[in-house]
Amino acid sequence: MGVEEAKKIIMETFANTARRLGQSELIGYIYGALFLSDKPLSLSEIAEMTGYSLSHVSSAMKVLEGVGLVQRIKKPGDRKAYFITTKNFGEWRSSAFYENILRDIEETRKNLLRALSEITEESQEAQRIKEKIKKAIRRNETTKKLLLIIMKFKSEEEILETLERCLKEE
């Protein structure tokens, strides 16, 4: 039960994040399903994993593609569309206020750690999920550090000017 419980925690965490950012929980469930998968998933596979209808999943997928969280790919010889996650979940967070983002980062961290602690078995799948969770924890910490740095600036212009100076110095 450890791996399945960890998967459930991950899916719920992404669904809760979607809700907090004013999106449908389905957006989070889809992202969670893709995050946990080792292969691109079709719309029907995602619908089956999330329990939502194909039409709902298709509509939600347009939102995820629009904000750059997922990418549509084609497999040679297959007419179906498949989807993978992109590595910019932090960009989604940036659409909310900084304090809400920090709360979300901390809740995500707690849930990732909780999911990790649930996995007590030593199967290949358990090891694969553990590695994905550990990577997500590292990304979560990096996102928090970057956000805290950004929050020290007074304006977006100041951030851009600082970044431009850094690039010129490089």
Side-chain angles (χ1 to χ4, degrees), residues 13 17 20 90 93 98-112 137 139-148:
T13 296
T17 297
R20 281 191 302 278
R93 287 188 176 124
Y98 291 141
E99 291 302 321
N100 287 338
I101 299 166
L102 281 175
R103 279 194 292 276
D104 175 63
I105 288 170
E106 188 53 35
E107 183 177 330
T108 299
R109 181 183 163 281
K110 287 178 190 174
N111 286 326
L112 289 168
I137 290 169
R139 285 186 180 146
N140 184 275
E141 287 302 314
T142 300
T143 302
K144 181 177 179 179
K145 288 175 186 175
L146 289 171
L147 182 60
L148 290 172

Side-chain angles (χ1 to χ4, degrees), residues 14 19 26 39 70 76 89 96 105 117 135 137-138 142:
F14 287 126
R19 280 188 217 105
L26 176 55
K39 63 180 181 71
V70 301
F89 193 67
I105 288 170
S117 72
K135 191 173 189 177
I137 290 169
R138 288 191 303 272
T142 300

Side-chain angles (χ1 to χ4, degrees), residues 54-101:
L54 199 54
S55 63
H56 280 101
V57 169
S58 179
S59 295
M61 199 55 80
K62 289 176 185 166
V63 173
L64 285 164
E65 280 185 283
V67 297
L69 284 174
V70 301
Q71 181 181 353
R72 179 185 303 252
I73 61 169
K74 291 280 188 178
K75 292 183 179 180
D78 193 340
R79 293 176 54 186
K80 287 183 187 177
Y82 291 86
F83 298 87
I84 57 172
T85 58
T86 57
K87 294 181 170 85
N88 63 352
F89 193 67
E91 289 177 20
W92 191 20
R93 287 188 176 124
S94 71
S95 65
F97 295 106
Y98 291 141
E99 291 302 321
N100 287 338
I101 299 166

Side-chain angles (χ1 to χ4, degrees), residues 118-131:
E118 283 292 326
I119 302 175
T120 56
E121 56 194 81
E122 296 297 325
S123 69
Q124 213 173 12
E125 181 184 24
Q127 293 307 312
R128 182 180 61 79
I129 299 294
K130 277 183 176 180
E131 288 307 311

